[in-house]
Amino acid sequence: MTTHTGRSYLAKGIRRTALSLALGACFVGGVQAQSAVGSIFGDTKAGSTVTIQNGQTGVTRTITSDATGRFTFGQLPPGTYKVTSDGVTRDVVVKVGTGSPVSFAAAASGSATTLDTVLVTGSGAINPIDVSSVESTTVFTAEQINALPVAQNITAVALLAPGTVKGDSGIGNGNLASFGGSSVAENGYYINGFDVTNIRNFISYADLPFQAIAQQQVKTGGYGAEYGRSLGGVINLVTKRGSNEWHYGGGVFYQPSWGRDAGKDVVTRSQSALENGDIYSAYRSDNEYESLNYNAYASGPLIKDRLFFFALVEGRGDQDDVYGTETSYRDRNNSPTGMLKLDWYITDDHLLEFTGIYNKTKTKRTTYSYSSGKYVGVHQDKNSDLEFENGGKVGILKYTGYLTDNFTLSAQAGYLKSTDNYQTPEGLPGAECVRAFDSRVSAGTTTYIGCWNQDQTFIRDADFGPDEDERKAYRLDAEWQLGDHRLRFGYDTETFTSSHAGQTYTGGAYWRHFRTGATSRVVNGVTVAPNTNYARRWDSRTTSAAYDVENVAYYVEDSWQVTDNFMAYLGLRSEQFENKNAAGVAFVKSDHEIAPRLGFAWDVNGDSTFKVFGNAGRYYIPVAANTNIRASGGEVIIEDYFFSTGVDLATGLPIGLGAQIGPTNVNGTLDPPNPASIATTNLKPMYQDEFILGGQIALNDSWTVGLRAIMREVKSGMDDYCSHQPFLSWAEDNNKPDIDIDSIPSCFIMNPGSDVSLAFDSDGDGVVEVNNVSASYFGLPKYRRKYSAMEFFWEGSGGDKWYVQGSYTYAKSKGNVEGYVNSTLEQDDAGLTQDFDHKLFEDGSFGYLPNDRRHTVKMFGTYRITDEWRIGGNLLIQSGRPVNCQGFIPLDDPSIGIDASNLALYSGSSFYCLKPDGVTRELSKRGEFGRTPWIWTFDASVAYTPNWADKRLTLQVDVFNLFNRQQVTEYAEGTETSRGIYNPNFLNDLNYQAPRQLRFSVRYDY
């Protein structure tokens, strides 16, 4: 709710009053980057005493305004505050990452009755125009989130913001957001100012109980120099905290399986599969999902005005029953999680905070096989009992010292440890048996054969233990108010360690058995006669080790009040990245990459009713720890084909193993590469430039609208390259016949389209030295991704009666690479996708990218019918994503040379697509096959807060996808089930919108 005293703040006459001068003069109070704090700023009489008091803790601070009457309280925990000067008190709400203005100038001039006071409260609060910030940000409070029909996860909340779209269903469990055209693996996640992004591959983050969140800030662009290491957006969470009042309560959130409509099946188009009884290419209709989440919390003062706590414990009772063609499984998660927040005000000027999070989950899985046919839809013969462990713990310690009226210092230390999908027991019966499938009836069908356990595809290194990720981070930040300049500067450092257990196929190999049909088939470069049995063997192995990533940054920024109405933001950030192999030797090291940030905010009318803003910035992203594991560790896959006379169904091995078909194909090696050769010596880190220009205007007391134009472009990209022929061609042209090609790693990291400076033995004398190879030998284009958008956003509020927010985004995301992941292939190898492994993968790749959604409309809000009843809604209307075709690269291309053996192991992942005749292969273009259909969905809620329970009890029903829209969201884009075998399901439906789901909730807050 926004309240005003005196005349409307839109009145023209206020433009040159003391209030407008104060608001315009105090832009410098607001730039908070991704920190977990906010600020209060304003003006009063010169030399006046100004006191703030936190409404929750009673803690007070007092400073003296400067010679112009300006004052700033920085680094404040979010909450409500009373601000007092010269006997006049104002109420102010501080939100995370924003500045809250307040002025006493009119009171000082004897015009207090004409001064407007802005007090923001309630779930229907309209966010005032923040003339102190150049960022693109949206803040959601816990009260707002609980009132809306949104899922209980931070991605669902982030997707309410303009410029965000949901990522591919096959990456990050389908629950990640793309910001401004970036891939879903380029975002940053923070809890109370601590970076909890998992940089193993950037597609996960440390979680916490959802009801422990007090505010969620969503930054879609333009953030300052204080933070970096992301190209997409930032999700910044602030937890709840204790106060001088005792509070307790809890909630129950229940999504019953009977409240979920059935998913849609997809009937296969493969005639041979149908004849084999494999009716569906996607079978979902019998799946059942049930979720129960309950929590209890307590908060209050351990020592009044000094030491406060907030503690929340969350329990779960989730069960998923998932049914496949011949097997099924049941997952159960009953793991408790929790969060503890302590705030110790040693004095009013010294604050020590601790945040502890326990988020370890153990999912118990029971697997089954059908005994009475296919698509049975019930669990039958039990196979195995498994447990999957994820998550761990987070600890954050922060000190804030308000050392003088104009100087604040903060220091933070953070620790995170998380287990990555550790399965127990590690070894199951059948480990001595090879993995095997029978595909003789249909090349696209995999029928289980042999004695191996289907729950055990790989055997892990039994002596290594779980895969884990650990972060140790420290940062120091200072804020110094010097007249018209608000200076911030600081330093942060982190060490991120990822461990990975080596593994091999069960039984040491994977056999798959085929049979040609009525016509011949080309297999591994050899024509195989009709009606002939043959078998493929894969041997895949990786090594065990732990790897470090070290990132360091320095920053300085100045929010400079140039005039009363104009603020200039000047920032500079220096990034350092270092990735090490298992021996601790760096193979990627980048020193002092400079990232400038510039911006301005213009309070056009001088009364915070019309803001024009802009910013320009450069943003770097680190090299993922996954690169350490895969590029500097040992991994190999070896492929062979053989003639056979049949299959032993009991063991999965071939009968009558005959001659080998074609060559042995090898990709990788178990010998770790020379760290000097893993990356080019002239490697430039990946960075993106961003430009934003926008404006926001208040139409009246209830409505604000805004418009911003955005342009983002990756200026330097990096990825791995996995071919050797260019080096042989270079050696031939440079008279180096004795080049040792084995001194070059199977894959190395480079900037595509740039010259390569790489250490290898070019003379065969055993000496590894840096050689410069022209980009022309590789034939790769530059790394290209460009996003441009126009965002129109609005917000309205009828006080406590109703509120609505919404946006329309027109956007284009175009290039030859999506970014750190490849959604088309659902490949989440951050920075090591197959896109630049050879130039043939880039042919036809330029076009509209997977996260391109030309039109997106979002609108959400609540309406209070009576004092006790409230309804809410959340509408999404969105155009479809581009549709591609994918196929195997042509191995007869003259550029392949000695790399045929390596490239033969790749899946159908290029834009060379097989035609239905099974012979013709044509180059297509990205997005050539149109787009998926438009989708729309509407979520609704009804809430009852009875007066007889003193407004402390809330009963709510949410309906997601109220109209049960199940439009297709993805098509099958692969044209081949295996090389040379056409996929009849090409462009068949693949995924749909999630079906209608009910959620019941009860919350009690005392």
Side-chain angles (χ1 to χ4, degrees), residues 616-692:
R618 175 163 292 180
Y619 301 86
Y620 286 88
I621 193 167
V623 178
N626 176 67
T627 301
N628 304 44
I629 296 169
R630 297 204 58 209
S632 72
E635 66 175 41
V636 66
I637 182 169
I638 303 169
E639 178 187 66
D640 293 294
Y641 286 86
F642 301 92
F643 289 106
S644 66
T645 58
V647 181
D648 185 339
L649 299 181
T651 65
L653 295 170
I655 296 174
L657 189 66
Q660 183 170 333
I661 304 173
T664 296
N665 301 315
V666 181
N667 186 311
T669 175
L670 287 179
D671 297 324
N674 183 343
S677 303
I678 297 174
T680 59
T681 59
N682 59 341
L683 184 70
K684 295 180 180 179
M686 184 169 173
Y687 70 87
Q688 176 176 270
D689 287 345
E690 177 186 69
F691 302 90
I692 299 176

Side-chain angles (χ1 to χ4, degrees), residues 158-225:
L159 288 171
L160 299 174
T164 59
V165 301
K166 193 170 186 178
D168 188 89
S169 62
I171 296 178
N173 295 320
N175 194 35
L176 294 172
S178 164
F179 288 71
S182 65
S183 80
V184 297
E186 296 166 24
N187 303 323
Y189 303 86
Y190 295 82
I191 298 176
N192 287 345
F194 175 56
D195 188 350
V196 295
T197 313
N198 188 327
I199 65 172
R200 178 186 286 257
N201 52 17
F202 285 91
I203 62 168
S204 63
Y205 47 85
D207 209 351
L208 79 165
F210 191 75
Q211 290 299 313
I213 299 171
Q215 295 184 12
Q216 176 171 331
Q217 183 187 40
V218 182
K219 290 184 176 292
T220 55
Y223 43 89

Side-chain angles (χ1 to χ4, degrees), residues 512-824:
R512 188 169 173 185
H513 303 276
F514 301 91
R515 181 179 175 86
T516 57
T519 59
S520 61
R521 181 184 301 167
V522 176
V523 177
N524 201 27
V526 177
T527 300
V528 177
N531 302 313
T532 301
N533 290 321
Y534 66 96
R536 184 193 70 193
R537 181 182 64 192
W538 278 358
D539 180 2
S540 175
R541 301 173 187 270
T542 61
T543 57
S544 301
Y547 308 85
D548 286 343
V549 177
E550 295 181 358
N551 300 317
V552 177
Y554 305 84
Y555 76 93
V556 60
E557 59 185 30
D558 178 16
S559 297
W560 175 26
Q561 196 60 50
V562 181
T563 69
D564 288 345
N565 294 356
F566 190 88
M567 185 270 288
Y569 171 80
L570 310 169
L572 199 65
R573 180 178 176 87
S574 173
E575 299 270 20
Q576 299 176 42
F577 307 125
E578 188 171 10
N579 293 63
K580 299 179 179 180
N581 66 7
V585 180
F587 63 90
V588 168
K589 187 172 184 179
S590 176
D591 290 329
H592 302 297
E593 301 297 335
I594 302 302
R597 314 280 169 84
L598 304 173
F600 74 91
W602 176 28
D603 184 5
V604 179
N605 295 329
D607 57 7
S608 299
T609 62
F610 183 15
K611 168 188 172 183
V612 176
F613 62 96
N615 52 64
R618 175 163 292 180
Y619 301 86
Y620 286 88
I621 193 167
V623 178
N626 176 67
T627 301
N628 304 44
I629 296 169
R630 297 204 58 209
S632 72
E635 66 175 41
V636 66
I637 182 169
I638 303 169
E639 178 187 66
D640 293 294
Y641 286 86
F642 301 92
F643 289 106
S644 66
T645 58
V647 181
D648 185 339
L649 299 181
T651 65
L653 295 170
I655 296 174
L657 189 66
Q660 183 170 333
I661 304 173
T664 296
N665 301 315
V666 181
N667 186 311
T669 175
L670 287 179
D671 297 324
N674 183 343
S677 303
I678 297 174
T680 59
T681 59
N682 59 341
L683 184 70
K684 295 180 180 179
M686 184 169 173
Y687 70 87
Q688 176 176 270
D689 287 345
E690 177 186 69
F691 302 90
I692 299 176
L693 181 64
Q696 189 176 7
I697 188 170
L699 302 179
N700 51 41
D701 289 3
S702 300
W703 286 94
T704 64
V705 297
L707 183 70
R708 57 178 162 248
I710 301 141
M711 196 280 284
R712 289 175 155 192
E713 185 172 8
V714 172
K715 306 299 286 189
S716 175
M718 57 184 177
D719 211 310
D720 65 333
Y721 182 80
C722 302
S723 302
H724 284 164
Q725 181 58 44
F727 294 97
L728 285 184
S729 299
W730 170 84
E732 182 178 349
D733 291 344
N734 289 272
N735 194 29
K736 292 182 178 291
D738 298 322
I739 181 175
D740 180 5
I741 205 67
D742 292 330
S743 67
I744 302 171
S746 56
C747 297
F748 63 92
I749 306 164
M750 67 180 303
N751 298 120
S754 298
D755 292 344
V756 168
S757 294
L758 191 70
F760 60 92
D761 179 7
S762 61
D763 299 313
D765 57 5
V767 178
V768 174
E769 55 190 1
V770 175
N771 295 272
N772 298 313
V773 182
S774 170
S776 61
Y777 285 98
F778 301 91
L780 293 174
K782 291 281 188 180
Y783 195 115
R784 298 175 65 187
R785 187 183 76 197
K786 186 175 182 178
Y787 174 82
S788 55
M790 188 70 70
E791 294 176 359
F792 174 60
F793 51 96
W794 60 89
E795 184 174 355
S797 173
D800 287 334
K801 186 72 173 177
W802 61 270
Y803 94 96
V804 64
Q805 286 182 247
S807 64
Y808 164 72
T809 302
Y810 176 84
K812 293 182 178 182
S813 182
K814 200 170 188 179
N816 58 7
V817 58
E818 179 182 355
Y820 259 16
V821 300
N822 184 322
S823 293
T824 302

Side-chain angles (χ1 to χ4, degrees), residues 440-561:
R440 289 177 295 172
V441 173
S442 170
T445 300
T446 51
T447 301
Y448 167 81
I449 56 173
C451 53
W452 64 288
N453 193 316
Q454 292 189 73
D455 299 322
Q456 186 172 247
T457 299
F458 290 97
I459 307 297
R460 299 178 80 255
D461 181 347
D463 298 324
F464 190 77
D467 291 0
E468 292 182 325
D469 298 297
E470 181 183 71
R471 170 182 272 116
K472 296 178 181 178
Y474 307 91
R475 66 176 302 125
L476 188 68
D477 300 275
E479 181 179 306
W480 193 7
Q481 187 74 45
L482 287 176
D484 293 334
H485 298 269
R486 184 171 184 242
L487 300 175
R488 289 176 56 80
F489 48 92
Y491 161 84
D492 77 88
T493 179
E494 67 174 13
T495 299
F496 192 91
T497 303
S498 291
S499 62
H500 171 73
Q503 60 185 21
T504 185
Y505 277 123
T506 175
Y510 166 25
W511 285 91
R512 188 169 173 185
H513 303 276
F514 301 91
R515 181 179 175 86
T516 57
T519 59
S520 61
R521 181 184 301 167
V522 176
V523 177
N524 201 27
V526 177
T527 300
V528 177
N531 302 313
T532 301
N533 290 321
Y534 66 96
R536 184 193 70 193
R537 181 182 64 192
W538 278 358
D539 180 2
S540 175
R541 301 173 187 270
T542 61
T543 57
S544 301
Y547 308 85
D548 286 343
V549 177
E550 295 181 358
N551 300 317
V552 177
Y554 305 84
Y555 76 93
V556 60
E557 59 185 30
D558 178 16
S559 297
W560 175 26
Q561 196 60 50

Side-chain angles (χ1 to χ4, degrees), residues 172-313:
N173 295 320
N175 194 35
L176 294 172
S178 164
F179 288 71
S182 65
S183 80
V184 297
E186 296 166 24
N187 303 323
Y189 303 86
Y190 295 82
I191 298 176
N192 287 345
F194 175 56
D195 188 350
V196 295
T197 313
N198 188 327
I199 65 172
R200 178 186 286 257
N201 52 17
F202 285 91
I203 62 168
S204 63
Y205 47 85
D207 209 351
L208 79 165
F210 191 75
Q211 290 299 313
I213 299 171
Q215 295 184 12
Q216 176 171 331
Q217 183 187 40
V218 182
K219 290 184 176 292
T220 55
Y223 43 89
E226 182 181 2
Y227 283 77
R229 300 179 189 141
S230 65
L231 306 184
V234 170
I235 296 178
N236 185 29
L237 306 176
V238 174
T239 64
K240 294 176 180 177
R241 64 182 70 216
S243 68
N244 269 326
E245 295 184 357
W246 287 93
H247 293 277
Y248 61 84
V252 178
F253 300 83
Y254 178 49
Q255 294 183 232
S257 59
W258 53 262
R260 183 182 188 273
D261 281 73
K264 291 181 68 173
D265 299 329
V266 180
V267 176
T268 185
R269 296 174 179 172
S270 169
Q271 188 60 40
S272 58
L274 288 170
E275 293 172 355
N276 194 46
D278 299 315
I279 302 170
Y280 303 110
S281 57
Y283 172 50
R284 306 182 180 96
S285 57
D286 286 323
N287 294 345
E288 294 185 352
Y289 304 91
E290 184 159 291
S291 174
L292 175 65
N293 176 297
Y294 49 93
N295 66 79
Y297 73 88
S299 69
L302 296 176
I303 302 175
K304 182 176 171 59
D305 291 343
R306 284 291 171 254
L307 181 60
F308 310 93
F309 83 97
F310 176 91
L312 183 144
V313 177

